């Protein structure tokens, strides 16, 4: 199998369905950033020990989900049925809720870090946020699968919650941002909490 085709030598690429677009288009940027995220998740998987085998398996599943997201983003609307459906959003919300219950309550913002795997998960969270921003921009230009946008929004929360769980399970104290006051109030209902950088 020859890996290079030379079709992209002039800065263009083909979408699913055959349409040609520039490699610097918002659409290509969106699924390219999903590919970047997927590669980072693959590296995280390689760094997870046997004690967290269930999390490793979950992240491998997530890599397939991210591939589906990239496929949908590279597919113009109407070419074929989208791969990503609402059940994926339901799944990730369930995982977020479970991890949020496991980690101890916090009152301050967290500085990304702690256990090396937790630090990598925070990196994945920020790449996810960048992917989300690009998808939002793309949705202003053309029709995209709306479920992908919702899933990617939830995914950044997933990585945040999972990073906290990794630190908790490994007995690593989370680094807190010390130059601000209390922003999380565990005794209040979620809907009463102020908006934060980790809650949108």
């Amino acid at each position: 199998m020859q890996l290079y085709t030379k079709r992209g030598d002039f800065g263009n690429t083909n979408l699913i369905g055959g349409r040609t677009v520039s490699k610097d288009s918002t659409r290509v940027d969106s699924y390219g950033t999903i590919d970047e995220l997927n590669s980072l998740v693959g590296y995280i998987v390689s760094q997870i020990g046997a004690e967290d085998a269930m999390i490793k398996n979950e992240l491998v599943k997530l890599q397939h989900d991210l591939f589906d997201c990239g496929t949908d983003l590279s597919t113009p609307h109407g070419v074929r049925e989208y791969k990503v459906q609402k059940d994926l959003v339901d799944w990730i919300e369930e995982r977020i809720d479970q991890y949020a219950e496991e980690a101890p309550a916090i009152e301050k913002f967290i500085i990304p870090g702690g256990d090396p795997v937790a630090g990598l998960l925070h990196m994945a969270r920020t790449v996810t946020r960048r992917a989300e921003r690009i998808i939002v921009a793309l949705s202003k230009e053309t029709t995209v699968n709306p479920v992908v946008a919702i899933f990617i929004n939830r995914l950044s929360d997933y990585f945040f919650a999972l990073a906290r769980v990794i630190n908790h399970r490994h007995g690593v104290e989370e680094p807190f941002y010390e130059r601000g006051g209390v922003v999380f109030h565990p005794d209040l209902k979620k809907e009463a909490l102020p908006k934060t950088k980790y809650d949108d």
Side-chain angles (χ1 to χ4, degrees):
M1 175 182 176
Q2 189 174 25
L3 294 181
Y4 59 90
T5 64
K6 301 184 180 181
R7 289 196 300 268
D9 289 353
F10 300 99
N12 297 314
T13 189
N14 291 336
L15 302 177
I16 293 176
R19 197 177 83 191
T20 300
V21 295
S22 174
K23 288 186 175 182
D24 66 354
S25 70
T26 308
R27 184 183 291 277
V28 175
D29 197 15
S30 70
Y31 66 77
T33 305
I34 295 296
D35 185 33
E36 177 187 349
L37 175 60
N38 207 340
S39 299
L40 178 54
V41 173
Y43 180 68
I44 294 171
V45 167
S46 76
Q47 301 303 301
I48 294 177
E51 69 276 13
D52 292 314
M54 290 185 65
I55 289 176
K56 177 180 285 194
N57 291 337
E58 187 171 291
L59 289 175
V60 170
K61 176 213 177 301
L62 184 59
Q63 287 191 276
H64 291 273
D65 297 330
L66 285 170
F67 208 100
D68 288 343
C69 288
T71 299
D72 281 358
L73 291 170
S74 63
T75 304
H77 183 67
V79 170
R80 68 182 189 188
E81 184 178 356
Y82 290 130
K83 288 180 173 289
V84 179
Q85 302 295 326
K86 184 181 179 298
D87 62 322
L88 185 58
V89 175
D90 296 337
W91 172 80
I92 202 166
E93 287 179 347
E94 185 274 329
R95 303 310 300 143
I96 293 168
D97 290 343
Q98 181 168 329
Y99 288 138
E101 287 293 324
E102 181 176 347
I106 55 175
E107 294 184 343
K108 296 182 178 181
F109 285 129
I110 293 171
I111 298 295
D115 181 271
V117 170
L120 288 169
L121 287 164
H122 277 293
M123 289 180 64
R125 174 181 60 79
T126 61
V127 175
T128 304
R129 283 297 193 201
R130 174 155 51 88
E132 182 184 15
R133 293 192 295 270
I134 298 168
I135 292 168
V136 168
L138 177 62
S139 68
K140 293 179 180 179
E141 299 176 4
T142 188
T143 301
V144 298
N145 181 358
V147 184
V148 169
I150 296 170
F151 173 71
I152 294 300
N153 177 268
R154 299 293 188 279
L155 186 58
S156 58
D157 295 327
Y158 168 89
F159 286 130
F160 176 75
L162 185 54
R164 297 205 61 229
V165 164
I166 289 290
N167 277 329
H168 175 61
R169 290 185 183 182
H170 293 191
V172 177
E173 185 175 351
E174 291 181 299
F176 289 100
Y177 175 60
E178 300 294 347
R179 297 179 183 175
V182 171
V183 292
F184 297 100
H185 301 273
D187 55 321
L188 298 178
K189 293 183 179 179
K190 182 175 181 181
E191 57 266 25
L193 296 180
K195 292 289 288 183
T196 75
K197 62 167 57 174
Y198 299 125
D199 189 31
D200 51 23

